Protein backbone atom coordinates (compact mmCIF):
# COMPACT_ATOMS: atom_id res chain seq x y z
CA UNK A 1 0.00 0.00 0.00
CA UNK A 2 1.18 3.51 -0.76
CA UNK A 3 1.33 6.27 1.84
CA UNK A 4 -1.76 7.87 0.35
CA UNK A 5 -3.69 4.59 0.63
CA UNK A 6 -2.58 4.22 4.24
CA UNK A 7 -3.79 7.71 5.05
CA UNK A 8 -7.13 6.94 3.39
CA UNK A 9 -7.48 3.62 5.22
CA UNK A 10 -6.67 4.94 8.68
CA UNK A 11 -8.54 8.21 8.14
CA UNK A 12 -11.61 6.40 6.87
CA UNK A 13 -11.50 3.98 9.77
CA UNK A 14 -11.28 6.86 12.26
CA UNK A 15 -14.20 8.63 10.57
CA UNK A 16 -16.37 5.50 10.70
CA UNK A 17 -15.36 4.90 14.32
CA UNK A 18 -16.20 8.47 15.28
CA UNK A 19 -19.58 8.47 13.49
CA UNK A 20 -20.69 5.08 14.80
CA UNK A 21 -19.63 5.42 18.44
CA UNK A 22 -23.16 5.02 19.80
CA UNK A 23 -23.91 2.10 17.47
CA UNK A 24 -20.71 0.34 18.52
CA UNK A 25 -21.55 0.75 22.21
CA UNK A 26 -24.84 -1.07 21.59
CA UNK A 27 -23.31 -3.76 19.37
CA UNK A 28 -22.06 -7.10 20.73
CA UNK A 29 -18.49 -6.54 19.49
CA UNK A 30 -15.65 -4.27 20.58
CA UNK A 31 -13.78 -1.69 18.52
CA UNK A 32 -10.66 -3.90 18.53
CA UNK A 33 -12.57 -6.61 16.64
CA UNK A 34 -13.44 -4.08 13.92
CA UNK A 35 -9.81 -2.97 13.60
CA UNK A 36 -8.65 -6.58 13.49
CA UNK A 37 -11.19 -7.46 10.79
CA UNK A 38 -9.99 -4.55 8.64
CA UNK A 39 -6.37 -5.61 9.17
CA UNK A 40 -7.15 -9.19 8.16
CA UNK A 41 -9.09 -7.98 5.12
CA UNK A 42 -6.34 -5.77 3.67
CA UNK A 43 -3.53 -8.03 4.91
CA UNK A 44 -2.14 -11.26 3.41
CA UNK A 45 -5.02 -13.34 4.77
CA UNK A 46 -7.51 -11.91 2.22
CA UNK A 47 -6.70 -9.07 -0.20
CA UNK A 48 -2.93 -9.02 0.40
CA UNK A 49 -2.71 -5.27 -0.09
CA UNK A 50 0.03 -5.07 2.52
CA UNK A 51 2.03 -7.32 4.82
CA UNK A 52 3.62 -6.17 8.05
CA UNK A 53 6.65 -8.28 8.94
CA UNK A 54 7.14 -8.20 12.76
CA UNK A 55 10.60 -9.80 12.51
CA UNK A 56 11.94 -7.31 9.98
CA UNK A 57 10.23 -4.36 11.72
CA UNK A 58 10.88 -5.54 15.28
CA UNK A 59 12.71 -2.35 16.28
CA UNK A 60 9.85 -0.15 15.07
CA UNK A 61 7.20 -2.38 16.62
CA UNK A 62 9.06 -2.43 19.93
CA UNK A 63 8.96 1.38 20.11
CA UNK A 64 5.30 1.60 19.05
CA UNK A 65 4.13 -1.00 21.56
CA UNK A 66 6.36 0.48 24.26
CA UNK A 67 4.74 3.91 23.87
CA UNK A 68 1.23 2.43 23.78
CA UNK A 69 1.76 0.43 26.97
CA UNK A 70 3.30 3.39 28.82
CA UNK A 71 0.36 5.66 27.98
CA UNK A 72 -2.11 2.96 28.97
CA UNK A 73 -0.31 2.28 32.26
CA UNK A 74 -0.46 5.97 33.16
CA UNK A 75 -4.19 6.06 32.40
CA UNK A 76 -4.75 2.96 34.52
CA UNK A 77 -2.75 4.40 37.42
CA UNK A 78 -4.69 7.65 37.71
CA UNK A 79 -7.99 5.75 37.75
CA UNK A 80 -7.14 3.86 40.92
CA UNK A 81 -9.63 4.55 43.75
CA UNK A 82 -8.30 6.49 46.72
CA UNK A 83 -7.17 6.39 49.44
CA UNK A 84 -4.71 3.52 49.07
CA UNK A 85 -5.05 0.53 51.41
CA UNK A 86 -3.33 -2.86 51.32
CA UNK A 87 -6.65 -4.63 51.97
CA UNK A 88 -8.05 -3.30 48.69
CA UNK A 89 -4.88 -3.96 46.74
CA UNK A 90 -4.21 -7.42 48.11
CA UNK A 91 -6.07 -9.27 45.34
CA UNK A 92 -4.44 -7.49 42.36
CA UNK A 93 -1.02 -7.72 44.00
CA UNK A 94 -1.43 -11.48 44.32
CA UNK A 95 -2.66 -11.69 40.73
CA UNK A 96 0.37 -9.76 39.49
CA UNK A 97 2.84 -11.90 41.45
CA UNK A 98 1.60 -15.35 42.49
CA UNK A 99 -0.85 -15.84 39.61
CA UNK A 100 1.70 -14.42 37.18
CA UNK A 101 4.32 -16.94 38.32
CA UNK A 102 1.88 -19.85 38.05
CA UNK A 103 0.82 -18.80 34.55
CA UNK A 104 4.42 -18.52 33.38
CA UNK A 105 5.19 -21.97 34.77
CA UNK A 106 2.13 -23.58 33.17
CA UNK A 107 2.72 -22.02 29.75
CA UNK A 108 6.42 -22.95 29.96
CA UNK A 109 5.47 -26.57 30.72
CA UNK A 110 3.00 -26.61 27.81
CA UNK A 111 5.62 -25.15 25.46
CA UNK A 112 8.28 -27.62 26.62
CA UNK A 113 6.25 -30.85 26.70
CA UNK A 114 3.63 -30.20 23.99
CA UNK A 115 5.24 -27.76 21.57
CA UNK A 116 8.76 -29.12 21.97
CA UNK A 117 10.39 -25.74 22.63
CA UNK A 118 13.60 -25.46 24.70
CA UNK A 119 13.05 -24.72 28.38
CA UNK A 120 14.39 -21.17 28.07
CA UNK A 121 12.07 -20.49 25.13
CA UNK A 122 9.16 -21.94 27.12
CA UNK A 123 9.85 -19.63 30.07
CA UNK A 124 10.20 -16.68 27.70
CA UNK A 125 6.93 -17.55 25.96
CA UNK A 126 5.23 -17.82 29.34
CA UNK A 127 6.54 -14.38 30.30
CA UNK A 128 5.35 -12.91 26.99
CA UNK A 129 1.83 -14.31 27.32
CA UNK A 130 1.26 -14.20 31.08
CA UNK A 131 0.65 -10.46 31.64
CA UNK A 132 -2.82 -9.10 30.99
CA UNK A 133 -3.00 -6.12 28.68
CA UNK A 134 -3.72 -2.52 29.72
CA UNK A 135 -4.29 -1.36 26.13
CA UNK A 136 -6.89 -3.76 24.72
CA UNK A 137 -8.68 -4.41 28.03
CA UNK A 138 -10.35 -1.01 28.35
CA UNK A 139 -13.83 -2.58 28.25
CA UNK A 140 -13.13 -4.44 31.52
CA UNK A 141 -11.09 -1.74 33.25
CA UNK A 142 -11.97 1.24 35.43
CA UNK A 143 -13.69 3.91 33.35
CA UNK A 144 -12.80 6.96 35.43
CA UNK A 145 -11.05 7.89 38.72
CA UNK A 146 -14.32 7.60 40.66
CA UNK A 147 -15.22 4.12 39.36
CA UNK A 148 -15.73 1.93 42.43
CA UNK A 149 -16.53 -1.35 40.65
CA UNK A 150 -14.53 -4.08 42.40
CA UNK A 151 -14.01 -6.25 39.30
CA UNK A 152 -12.89 -3.32 37.16
CA UNK A 153 -10.52 -2.19 39.89
CA UNK A 154 -9.00 -5.66 40.24
CA UNK A 155 -8.45 -6.11 36.50
CA UNK A 156 -7.11 -2.57 36.00
CA UNK A 157 -4.73 -2.75 38.93
CA UNK A 158 -3.49 -6.20 37.90
CA UNK A 159 -2.82 -5.05 34.32
CA UNK A 160 -0.98 -2.01 35.67
CA UNK A 161 1.36 -4.06 37.81
CA UNK A 162 1.92 -7.25 35.86
CA UNK A 163 3.38 -5.45 32.86
CA UNK A 164 6.31 -4.80 35.19
CA UNK A 165 6.26 -8.03 37.15
CA UNK A 166 6.56 -10.04 33.92
CA UNK A 167 9.95 -8.54 33.10
CA UNK A 168 11.98 -10.72 35.52
CA UNK A 169 10.61 -13.82 33.78
CA UNK A 170 11.47 -12.35 30.36
CA UNK A 171 15.04 -11.94 31.57
CA UNK A 172 15.03 -15.46 33.06
CA UNK A 173 13.94 -16.91 29.72
CA UNK A 174 16.60 -14.92 27.87
CA UNK A 175 19.17 -16.04 30.44
CA UNK A 176 18.30 -19.71 29.99
CA UNK A 177 18.76 -19.17 26.24
CA UNK A 178 22.20 -17.66 26.88
CA UNK A 179 21.15 -14.12 25.99
CA UNK A 180 21.28 -12.59 29.48
CA UNK A 181 23.61 -12.98 32.45
CA UNK A 182 21.85 -14.78 35.32
CA UNK A 183 24.90 -15.11 37.57
CA UNK A 184 26.02 -18.06 39.68
CA UNK A 185 22.97 -20.09 40.70
CA UNK A 186 20.80 -17.27 39.36
CA UNK A 187 22.03 -14.83 42.03
CA UNK A 188 22.36 -11.89 39.63
CA UNK A 189 18.83 -12.52 38.37
CA UNK A 190 17.33 -12.61 41.87
CA UNK A 191 19.19 -9.57 43.21
CA UNK A 192 19.16 -7.33 40.14
CA UNK A 193 16.27 -8.41 37.91
CA UNK A 194 13.80 -9.31 40.64
CA UNK A 195 14.53 -7.40 43.85
CA UNK A 196 16.33 -4.23 42.78
CA UNK A 197 14.52 -3.68 39.48
CA UNK A 198 11.11 -4.13 41.12
CA UNK A 199 11.66 -2.20 44.36
CA UNK A 200 13.66 0.48 42.55
CA UNK A 201 10.86 0.98 40.03
CA UNK A 202 8.26 1.40 42.76
CA UNK A 203 10.48 3.86 44.65
CA UNK A 204 11.23 5.94 41.55
CA UNK A 205 7.59 6.02 40.49
CA UNK A 206 6.19 6.94 43.91
CA UNK A 207 8.82 9.64 44.52
CA UNK A 208 8.26 11.27 41.12
CA UNK A 209 4.47 11.10 41.35
CA UNK A 210 4.38 12.64 44.84
CA UNK A 211 6.86 15.37 43.86
CA UNK A 212 4.89 16.42 40.77
CA UNK A 213 1.60 16.39 42.66
CA UNK A 214 2.93 18.65 45.43
CA UNK A 215 4.72 20.99 43.01
CA UNK A 216 1.68 21.33 40.76
CA UNK A 217 -0.60 21.90 43.75
CA UNK A 218 1.69 24.60 45.15
CA UNK A 219 1.97 26.45 41.84
CA UNK A 220 -1.80 26.48 41.35
CA UNK A 221 -2.56 27.92 44.78
CA UNK A 222 -2.06 31.38 46.19
CA UNK A 223 0.05 33.38 45.81
CA UNK A 224 1.32 31.86 42.53
CA UNK A 225 -1.95 30.97 40.71
CA UNK A 226 -0.04 29.52 37.75
CA UNK A 227 -1.84 27.89 34.83
CA UNK A 228 -0.31 24.49 34.11
CA UNK A 229 -0.33 22.35 30.96
CA UNK A 230 -1.58 19.07 32.37
CA UNK A 231 -1.12 17.16 29.12
CA UNK A 232 2.56 18.07 28.97
CA UNK A 233 3.00 17.34 32.66
CA UNK A 234 1.49 13.88 32.26
CA UNK A 235 3.62 13.04 29.24
CA UNK A 236 6.66 14.55 30.92
CA UNK A 237 6.13 12.40 34.00
CA UNK A 238 5.86 9.27 31.83
CA UNK A 239 9.02 10.08 29.89
CA UNK A 240 11.12 11.17 32.87
CA UNK A 241 10.15 8.26 35.10
CA UNK A 242 10.59 5.68 32.36
CA UNK A 243 13.96 7.07 31.28
CA UNK A 244 15.21 7.30 34.87
CA UNK A 245 14.15 3.71 35.50
CA UNK A 246 16.02 2.47 32.45
CA UNK A 247 19.16 4.35 33.56
CA UNK A 248 19.01 2.69 36.98
CA UNK A 249 18.07 -0.74 35.57
CA UNK A 250 14.60 -0.74 37.13
CA UNK A 251 11.38 -1.84 35.43
CA UNK A 252 10.04 1.28 33.74
CA UNK A 253 6.51 -0.02 33.18
CA UNK A 254 6.08 -0.61 36.90
CA UNK A 255 7.57 2.80 37.70
CA UNK A 256 5.19 4.66 35.37
CA UNK A 257 2.14 2.90 36.81
CA UNK A 258 3.12 3.69 40.40
CA UNK A 259 4.03 7.28 39.43
CA UNK A 260 0.48 7.73 38.14
CA UNK A 261 -0.97 6.09 41.25
CA UNK A 262 1.15 8.28 43.56
CA UNK A 263 0.25 11.40 41.56
CA UNK A 264 -3.47 10.70 41.89
CA UNK A 265 -3.30 9.61 45.53
CA UNK A 266 -1.29 12.67 46.59
CA UNK A 267 -3.50 15.11 44.71
CA UNK A 268 -6.58 13.61 46.33
CA UNK A 269 -5.06 13.92 49.80
CA UNK A 270 -4.19 17.56 49.13
CA UNK A 271 -7.67 18.19 47.72
CA UNK A 272 -9.38 16.76 50.80
CA UNK A 273 -7.22 18.88 53.11
CA UNK A 274 -7.87 22.00 51.03
CA UNK A 275 -11.59 21.31 50.85
CA UNK A 276 -11.85 20.99 54.62
CA UNK A 277 -10.10 24.33 55.02
CA UNK A 278 -12.20 25.98 52.30
CA UNK A 279 -15.48 24.85 53.88
CA UNK A 280 -14.52 26.63 57.08
CA UNK A 281 -13.96 29.82 55.07
CA UNK A 282 -17.08 29.27 52.89
CA UNK A 283 -14.98 29.03 49.72
CA UNK A 284 -15.10 25.55 48.27
CA UNK A 285 -13.88 26.09 44.70
CA UNK A 286 -11.92 22.94 43.78
CA UNK A 287 -8.54 23.26 42.09
CA UNK A 288 -7.80 21.31 38.89
CA UNK A 289 -5.37 18.39 39.11
CA UNK A 290 -2.68 17.08 36.79
CA UNK A 291 -4.06 13.54 36.92
CA UNK A 292 -7.57 14.46 35.80
CA UNK A 293 -6.42 17.13 33.36
CA UNK A 294 -4.11 14.78 31.49
CA UNK A 295 -6.35 11.69 31.54
CA UNK A 296 -8.62 12.61 28.62
CA UNK A 297 -5.68 13.32 26.32
CA UNK A 298 -4.01 10.04 27.33
CA UNK A 299 -7.18 8.08 26.59
CA UNK A 300 -7.30 9.60 23.08
CA UNK A 301 -3.70 8.55 22.47
CA UNK A 302 -4.57 5.11 23.81
CA UNK A 303 -7.41 4.73 21.30
CA UNK A 304 -5.20 5.86 18.42
CA UNK A 305 -2.46 3.39 19.35
CA UNK A 306 -5.07 0.63 19.56
CA UNK A 307 -6.22 1.37 16.00
CA UNK A 308 -2.73 1.27 14.53
CA UNK A 309 -1.38 -1.72 16.42
CA UNK A 310 -4.42 -3.97 15.96
CA UNK A 311 -4.38 -3.14 12.24
CA UNK A 312 -0.75 -4.26 12.15
CA UNK A 313 -1.63 -7.49 13.97
CA UNK A 314 -4.25 -8.28 11.32
CA UNK A 315 -1.80 -7.35 8.58
CA UNK A 316 0.82 -9.74 9.96
CA UNK A 317 -1.22 -12.93 9.69
CA UNK A 318 -1.34 -15.43 6.85
CA UNK A 319 -3.98 -18.14 6.58
CA UNK A 320 -1.35 -20.78 7.41
CA UNK A 321 -0.51 -18.91 10.63
CA UNK A 322 -3.47 -20.70 12.19
CA UNK A 323 -1.76 -23.88 13.28
CA UNK A 324 -3.22 -26.34 15.78
CA UNK A 325 -0.25 -25.70 18.05
CA UNK A 326 -0.96 -21.95 18.20
CA UNK A 327 -4.70 -22.35 18.70
CA UNK A 328 -4.12 -25.07 21.31
CA UNK A 329 -1.73 -22.80 23.21
CA UNK A 330 -4.29 -19.97 23.21
CA UNK A 331 -7.09 -22.21 24.47
CA UNK A 332 -4.81 -23.70 27.14
CA UNK A 333 -3.89 -20.20 28.31
CA UNK A 334 -7.46 -18.88 28.37
CA UNK A 335 -9.29 -21.92 29.71
CA UNK A 336 -6.74 -23.71 31.88
CA UNK A 337 -3.70 -21.65 32.90
CA UNK A 338 -5.44 -18.33 33.56
CA UNK A 339 -8.43 -19.68 35.58
CA UNK A 340 -6.24 -22.03 37.66
CA UNK A 341 -3.68 -19.32 38.41
CA UNK A 342 -6.42 -16.90 39.47
CA UNK A 343 -8.11 -19.41 41.78
CA UNK A 344 -4.80 -20.33 43.42
CA UNK A 345 -3.57 -16.74 43.61
CA UNK A 346 -6.74 -15.47 45.29
CA UNK A 347 -7.02 -18.27 47.84
CA UNK A 348 -7.58 -16.87 51.32
CA UNK A 349 -8.38 -13.34 50.10
CA UNK A 350 -12.12 -13.50 50.64
CA UNK A 351 -12.72 -12.53 47.00
CA UNK A 352 -16.16 -13.70 45.87
CA UNK A 353 -16.36 -16.59 43.44
CA UNK A 354 -18.22 -14.35 40.99
CA UNK A 355 -15.23 -12.02 40.82
CA UNK A 356 -12.78 -14.93 40.67
CA UNK A 357 -14.67 -16.44 37.77
CA UNK A 358 -14.84 -13.19 35.80
CA UNK A 359 -11.20 -12.40 36.56
CA UNK A 360 -10.19 -15.88 35.46
CA UNK A 361 -11.82 -15.40 32.08
CA UNK A 362 -10.98 -11.76 31.32
CA UNK A 363 -7.21 -12.04 31.20
CA UNK A 364 -6.94 -10.13 27.93
CA UNK A 365 -3.67 -10.52 26.03
CA UNK A 366 -2.51 -7.90 23.55
CA UNK A 367 -0.05 -5.09 22.99
CA UNK A 368 2.05 -5.82 26.08
CA UNK A 369 2.75 -9.34 24.82
CA UNK A 370 3.87 -7.94 21.47
CA UNK A 371 6.25 -5.56 23.25
CA UNK A 372 7.92 -8.34 25.26
CA UNK A 373 8.32 -10.40 22.11
CA UNK A 374 9.92 -7.53 20.20
CA UNK A 375 12.13 -6.82 23.21
CA UNK A 376 13.36 -10.41 23.14
CA UNK A 377 14.00 -10.28 19.39
CA UNK A 378 15.99 -7.07 19.79
CA UNK A 379 18.08 -8.81 22.47
CA UNK A 380 19.27 -11.53 20.13
CA UNK A 381 16.52 -14.17 19.95
CA UNK A 382 17.54 -16.59 17.14
CA UNK A 383 15.58 -16.06 13.92
CA UNK A 384 14.05 -19.54 13.73
CA UNK A 385 12.85 -19.36 17.31
CA UNK A 386 11.71 -15.75 16.83
CA UNK A 387 9.54 -16.70 13.84
CA UNK A 388 7.92 -19.54 15.79
CA UNK A 389 7.20 -17.32 18.79
CA UNK A 390 5.85 -14.52 16.57
CA UNK A 391 3.31 -16.93 15.09
CA UNK A 392 2.27 -18.28 18.48
CA UNK A 393 1.98 -14.82 20.05
CA UNK A 394 0.03 -13.28 17.16
CA UNK A 395 -2.54 -16.10 17.23
CA UNK A 396 -2.94 -15.83 21.01
CA UNK A 397 -3.44 -12.06 20.76
CA UNK A 398 -5.87 -12.42 17.84
CA UNK A 399 -7.96 -15.05 19.61
CA UNK A 400 -7.95 -12.95 22.77
CA UNK A 401 -9.32 -9.97 20.82
CA UNK A 402 -12.03 -12.19 19.32
CA UNK A 403 -13.05 -14.37 22.27
CA UNK A 404 -12.79 -11.75 25.00
CA UNK A 405 -14.20 -9.07 22.70
CA UNK A 406 -17.32 -11.06 21.88
CA UNK A 407 -17.97 -12.10 25.49
CA UNK A 408 -17.13 -8.88 27.37
CA UNK A 409 -20.37 -6.94 26.87
CA UNK A 410 -22.92 -9.67 27.70
CA UNK A 411 -20.90 -11.07 30.60
CA UNK A 412 -19.99 -7.71 32.14
CA UNK A 413 -23.54 -6.43 31.65
CA UNK A 414 -24.97 -9.36 33.56
CA UNK A 415 -22.31 -8.95 36.24
CA UNK A 416 -23.00 -5.23 36.80
CA UNK A 417 -26.74 -5.76 37.13
CA UNK A 418 -26.08 -7.76 40.27
CA UNK A 419 -23.95 -4.95 41.77
CA UNK A 420 -20.27 -4.98 42.66
CA UNK A 421 -18.86 -1.97 44.48
CA UNK A 422 -15.69 -1.27 46.44
CA UNK A 423 -16.43 -0.51 50.04
CA UNK A 424 -16.21 3.30 50.51
CA UNK A 425 -13.38 4.60 52.71
Amino acid sequence: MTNAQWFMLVGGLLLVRGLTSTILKRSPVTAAIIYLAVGLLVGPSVLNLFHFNPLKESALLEVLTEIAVLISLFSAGVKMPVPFSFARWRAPILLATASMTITVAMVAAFAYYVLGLPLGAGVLLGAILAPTDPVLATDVQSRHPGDRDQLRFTLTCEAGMNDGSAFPFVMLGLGLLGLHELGDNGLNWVVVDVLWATLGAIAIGVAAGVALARLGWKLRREPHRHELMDDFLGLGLIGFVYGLSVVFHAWGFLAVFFAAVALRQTEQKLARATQASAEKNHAAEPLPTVSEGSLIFKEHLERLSEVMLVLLVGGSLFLNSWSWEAVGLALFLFMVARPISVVIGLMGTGTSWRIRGMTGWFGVRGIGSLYYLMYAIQHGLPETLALQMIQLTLIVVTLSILLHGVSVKPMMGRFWRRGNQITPP
Side-chain angles (χ1 to χ4, degrees):
M1 293 180 67
T2 64
N3 288 342
Q5 291 172 325
W6 261 109
F7 275 109
M8 291 174 62
L9 173 64
V10 176
L13 189 58
L14 292 177
L15 285 172
V16 172
R17 176 69 176 90
L19 293 171
T20 60
S21 178
T22 300
I23 297 174
L24 188 59
K25 287 180 180 178
R26 297 171 181 171
S27 72
V29 299
T30 61
I33 293 180
I34 305 297
Y35 308 149
L36 179 64
V38 174
L40 290 171
L41 177 64
V42 300
S45 293
V46 183
L47 299 178
N48 198 26
L49 297 178
F50 93 103
H51 170 228
F52 183 79
N53 189 329
L55 182 62
K56 184 180 296 184
E57 305 293 343
S58 59
L60 171 63
L61 191 54
E62 181 187 14
V63 173
L64 293 177
T65 52
E66 188 174 30
I67 294 172
V69 172
L70 286 171
I71 292 172
S72 188
L73 288 173
F74 181 89
S75 298
V78 298
K79 293 175 187 176
M80 292 294 97
V82 293
F84 171 84
S85 71
F86 180 75
R88 291 176 183 168
W89 283 57
R90 184 184 178 192
I93 288 174
L94 288 172
L95 288 172
T97 54
S99 296
M100 162 75 71
T101 303
I102 295 168
T103 303
V104 172
M106 294 183 70
V107 172
F110 185 92
Y112 182 76
Y113 290 107
V114 179
L115 303 181
L117 292 176
L119 179 59
V123 172
L124 178 59
L125 184 62
I128 289 170
L129 299 179
T132 55
D133 193 65
V135 181
L136 299 184
T138 52
D139 288 292
V140 294
Q141 291 184 355
S142 298
R143 294 182 170 181
H144 51 79
D147 193 342
R148 307 197 68 83
D149 184 88
Q150 181 68 47
L151 176 61
R152 284 187 178 278
F153 165 74
T154 301
L155 291 171
T156 305
C157 193
E158 178 198 8
M161 288 187 290
N162 68 14
D163 269 300
S165 60
F167 247 119
F169 296 104
V170 172
M171 305 314 293
L172 177 61
L174 290 175
L176 293 174
L177 290 171
L179 302 175
H180 176 68
E181 179 58 48
L182 298 179
D184 295 334
N185 300 316
L187 183 61
N188 185 74
W189 178 74
V190 172
V191 174
V192 177
D193 295 331
V194 179
L195 296 178
W196 162 248
T198 300
L199 298 177
I202 295 173
I204 291 171
V206 171
V210 170
L212 178 60
R214 292 189 176 278
L215 179 59
W217 196 262
K218 181 177 181 180
L219 292 175
R220 277 191 163 116
R221 297 188 67 191
E222 298 289 353
H224 307 288
R225 303 297 295 180
H226 284 305
E227 292 184 3
L228 305 180
M229 298 177 66
D230 293 327
D231 292 342
F232 275 36
L233 289 174
L235 288 172
L237 182 64
I238 292 172
F240 180 79
V241 167
Y242 188 69
L244 189 64
S245 300
V246 172
V247 168
F248 285 98
H249 305 288
W251 302 132
F253 286 171
L254 200 61
V256 167
F257 174 72
F258 275 97
V261 172
L263 173 68
R264 176 67 180 167
Q265 300 272 332
T266 305
E267 287 183 331
Q268 286 297 295
K269 289 179 182 178
L270 294 170
R272 285 193 295 271
T274 302
Q275 183 178 9
S277 175
E279 288 176 352
K280 292 181 181 179
N281 299 320
H282 306 287
E285 181 182 352
L287 290 175
T289 61
V290 175
S291 56
E292 289 185 338
S294 62
L295 181 58
I296 296 176
F297 180 62
K298 301 300 181 299
E299 289 181 334
H300 291 165
L301 291 177
E302 195 174 7
R303 292 195 188 105
L304 288 173
S305 64
E306 180 184 11
V307 173
M308 292 303 303
L309 292 172
V310 175
L311 275 176
L312 293 181
V313 169
S316 302
L317 291 171
F318 293 86
L319 288 177
N320 60 8
S321 299
W322 295 85
S323 65
W324 286 111
E325 292 83 0
V327 174
L329 172 64
L331 295 180
F332 173 79
L333 176 63
F334 302 154
M335 298 180 180
V336 180
R338 171 67 179 179
I340 289 177
S341 68
V342 168
V343 170
I344 296 176
L346 295 182
M347 289 177 62
T349 63
T351 304
S352 70
W353 282 102
R354 290 176 61 238
I355 293 181
R356 294 187 198 193
M358 294 290 284
T359 303
W361 171 243
F362 285 114
V364 181
R365 268 63 184 182
I367 306 306
S369 295
L370 295 178
Y371 168 75
Y372 289 122
L373 177 57
M374 297 304 109
Y375 179 90
I377 292 174
Q378 286 297 298
H379 282 73
L381 194 65
E383 182 175 334
T384 302
L385 190 56
L387 288 171
Q388 187 175 3
M389 296 186 75
I390 286 173
Q391 184 225 359
L392 294 171
T393 303
L394 287 176
I395 294 302
V396 169
V397 170
T398 300
L399 284 176
S400 180
I401 292 173
L402 294 174
L403 296 178
H404 293 127
V406 168
S407 61
V408 61
K409 293 184 179 180
M411 290 182 68
M412 293 294 280
R414 187 179 305 133
F415 184 81
W416 292 329
R417 284 194 293 271
R418 295 188 60 181
N420 179 51
Q421 301 294 309
I422 298 175
T423 303

